[in-house]
Amino acid sequence: MEHGSFTDNSAATFSLTEEDHTLANAVRFTLNQDPRVTFCGYSIPHPSNARVNIRVQTTGDPAREVLKDACQDLMLMCRHVRSGFDKAVEDFKASNAVKAMKIDSQDSDSEESE
Amino acid sequence: MPLFIVEVVRLTEEDMEFDMIGIDAAIANAFRRILIAELPTMAIEKVLIANNTSVVQDEVLAHRLGLIPISVDPRLFEYMSENDQPNEKNTIVFKLHVHCKRGSPRITVKSDELKWLPNGSELIKESRKVASDSASKPETYTSFSCSQDTLPEFANNPIAPKYPDIIISKLGPGQEIELEAHAVKGMGKTHAKWSPVATAWYRMLPEVVLLEEVEDDLAEGLKSKCPVNVFDIEDLGKGKKRATVARPRACTLCRECIRDEEWEKRVAIHRVKDHFIFTIESTGALPPEVLFTEAVKILEDKCERVITELS
């Protein structure tokens, strides 16, 4: 839900339900990286309600678009993290498998290349 | 995105330790929060007690059963909402029937006594309907349309608690426990029994910097002060020694090295702002590297939800 002015859509407060610091802090960080953003922050009106208010003020672009772009950037970051992590796990498993084989086999010539 | 590196330090079936370099604290914390509270797992929720003459009260027994980790992949099941019937897609049924006979010594009821019932509940519901239905199968507390062990994932590996030696209760002679437990899918947010990690935490890499050259006796003194041997002595020949920082990763930030007078200007301790050392300890439902990948997927899903709400 967006609360803003009808005339000036470069500044708005977005009220998200069923969210907490997990998403809000991450989105706030990606918003800060965007050069179009002059001010951004989030608040939790009451800890018993699962509701987060994210305030975005921009240099002219509609706040809604800027927030959407920030979420897209966050998704890209997550995909990047995932691929980096998967590769690191694979490399680790492969290097461990090689180590185990080296310890097992008595002759050092039989090293398998993965 | 500027340089982002992941290095795995340790990976076993139960826990893993890895480094993430080049990420921000907000994202790292988001992953930690999701790992603890928003990854779904299966845990016992409803316990139907037919007979309990043990010294452990019904509700305490049910509470303990809920906390037992079950070794099954929660992605194979669906959530059960309040209006749903319990069926083979959203419930796992276990049975526990232990009886300590008179004259025999005390029994300890361990979690391997929980037997999986792939065909669903066996307790019969008492219903008002008479005669006309008596020819068909009596109604039980779950409605399984097919047996769960026909599914390929469970055909040869039965569902069981991850650790078979968890003590549930103790029985004296003549005491009996007979109950049926239904496990459903849930998230750590609702109750900690649904958390897939024993815990998950991160710390930032400590950075220990020697501001001045620390030589000879001072070097020896510095090395002996540190309880985890962060410093090492380097021989420069001609009897001169110098202290170097060998293992900053082991530093626990106890600040012993800067406690005394004058050391503050020789040693500086701070943390590297974007180097996170994550440790994930799994309770057994999923291996830790799968847990982390699922957590990242969940963060992506949250972003997508926001985007669709905005559009």
Side-chain angles (χ1 to χ4, degrees), chain A:
Chain A
M1 269 164 285
E2 181 179 354
H3 305 288
S5 140
F6 286 119
T7 46
D8 176 16
N9 62 354
S10 73
T13 305
F14 299 90
S15 190
L16 306 173
T17 51
E18 301 299 317
E19 291 297 342
D20 57 358
H21 302 277
T22 309
L23 181 68
N25 200 15
V27 167
R28 181 200 57 84
F29 168 72
T30 33
L31 273 170
N32 262 324
Q33 308 298 92
D34 194 331
R36 301 173 284 177
V37 166
T38 56
F39 173 82
C40 75
Y42 79 94
S43 74
I44 302 202
H46 195 283
S48 303
N49 304 342
R51 184 179 279 271
V52 161
N53 292 341
I54 304 183
R55 174 84 184 161
V56 185
Q57 279 171 209
T58 72
T59 52
D61 287 15
R64 179 178 281 248
E65 300 302 316
V66 173
L67 184 62
K68 247 196 267 182
D69 289 342
C71 289
Q72 299 278 19
D73 283 342
L74 189 55
M75 282 178 73
L76 276 174
M77 250 195 266
C78 287
R79 291 205 192 110
H80 195 76
V81 167
R82 223 185 331 148
S83 61
F85 179 76
D86 287 337
K87 188 164 173 308
V89 169
E90 261 180 53
D91 289 346
F92 183 79
K93 285 190 182 158
S95 74
N96 260 18
V98 168
K99 259 189 249 171
M101 273 191 281
K102 270 196 187 153
I103 295 171
D104 286 342
S105 65
Q106 291 298 328
D107 26 63
S108 50
D109 293 333
S110 60
E111 186 194 283
E112 314 236 317
S113 57
E114 299 274 2

Side-chain angles (χ1 to χ4, degrees), chain B:
Chain B
M1 181 148 112
L3 206 55
F4 171 71
I5 305 175
V6 178
E7 280 168 12
V8 180
V9 170
R10 189 182 70 232
L11 175 61
T12 70
E13 259 187 45
E14 286 184 346
D15 61 4
M16 78 180 297
E17 188 181 326
F18 65 97
D19 286 20
M20 278 214 284
I21 310 171
I23 203 177
D24 182 72
I27 321 277
N29 196 31
F31 292 144
R32 184 193 63 90
R33 286 174 69 103
I34 294 178
L35 275 164
I36 294 178
E38 302 199 35
L39 275 178
T41 336
M42 305 293 292
I44 291 175
E45 164 88 347
K46 273 211 181 84
V47 178
L48 307 167
I49 302 186
N51 189 2
N52 176 19
T53 45
S54 75
V55 292
V56 177
Q57 297 90 337
D58 290 349
E59 59 269 20
V60 176
L61 192 56
H63 180 245
R64 290 176 70 83
L65 286 169
L67 292 172
I68 297 175
I70 302 176
S71 138
V72 63
D73 188 343
R75 297 172 288 189
L76 301 168
F77 290 88
E78 295 163 357
Y79 285 101
M80 179 168 93
S81 68
E82 297 203 355
N83 312 325
D84 283 345
Q85 281 289 342
N87 57 36
E88 71 274 8
K89 293 245 178 333
N90 57 32
T91 316
I92 304 177
V93 181
F94 292 98
K95 180 168 105 147
L96 179 66
H97 188 168
V98 188
H99 180 60
C100 182
K101 309 230 178 334
R102 288 210 174 273
S104 70
R106 294 218 200 111
I107 305 181
T108 308
V109 180
K110 297 212 174 143
S111 53
D112 56 1
E113 302 277 355
L114 272 171
K115 304 274 181 281
W116 177 42
L117 298 176
N119 289 325
S121 170
E122 287 172 357
L123 290 178
I124 302 177
K125 239 192 230 184
E126 295 178 10
S127 57
R128 304 278 163 188
K129 286 186 280 196
V130 200
S132 56
D133 275 56
S134 56
S136 60
K137 244 180 357 174
E139 196 189 341
T140 66
Y141 283 94
T142 60
S143 19
F144 276 37
S145 55
C146 72
S147 175
Q148 271 174 337
D149 58 12
T150 56
L151 294 169
E153 294 92 12
F154 306 131
N156 289 326
N157 32 347
I159 302 179
K162 171 80 183 179
Y163 302 101
D165 54 354
I166 300 177
I167 297 181
I168 300 178
S169 162
K170 295 197 179 186
L171 294 177
Q175 292 174 350
E176 182 179 1
I177 297 181
E178 183 178 353
L179 56 79
E180 213 176 72
H182 297 188
V184 294
K185 190 168 170 176
M187 289 201 288
K189 261 208 284 207
T190 331
H191 192 287
K193 69 188 177 193
W194 277 299
S195 182
V197 289
T199 188
W201 74 92
Y202 67 79
R203 64 186 178 108
M204 296 156 89
L205 184 75
E207 188 177 348
V208 184
V209 179
L210 293 173
L211 301 168
E212 311 173 331
E213 285 288 330
V214 179
E215 299 187 337
D216 300 335
D217 294 332
L218 285 179
E220 293 282 346
L222 184 59
K223 178 171 171 182
S224 55
K225 265 202 226 170
C226 184
V228 283
N229 296 330
V230 169
F231 301 101
D232 256 349
I233 302 289
E234 186 190 313
D235 261 328
L236 293 173
K238 291 195 275 196
K240 283 181 74 65
K241 290 180 267 194
R242 205 181 62 169
T244 54
V245 181
R247 286 164 291 271
R249 197 187 166 95
C251 179
T252 56
L253 259 63
C254 65
R255 291 189 162 47
E256 265 299 304
C257 42
I258 49 176
R259 209 176 79 177
D260 293 330
E261 286 282 327
E262 304 241 325
W263 279 105
E264 289 249 356
K265 61 178 167 68
R266 295 192 197 117
V267 182
I269 299 185
H270 36 256
R271 291 203 185 266
V272 180
K273 290 244 171 346
D274 61 352
H275 185 140
F276 295 89
I277 303 174
F278 261 88
T279 314
I280 302 178
E281 292 177 4
S282 161
T283 50
L286 288 169
E289 67 270 12
V290 176
L291 281 177
F292 187 75
T293 322
E294 291 294 312
V296 180
K297 276 194 216 159
I298 289 187
L299 187 58
E300 281 177 38
D301 289 342
K302 278 182 188 262
C303 295
E304 221 175 291
R305 248 192 55 207
V306 174
I307 294 179
T308 39
E309 258 193 46
L310 283 177
S311 314

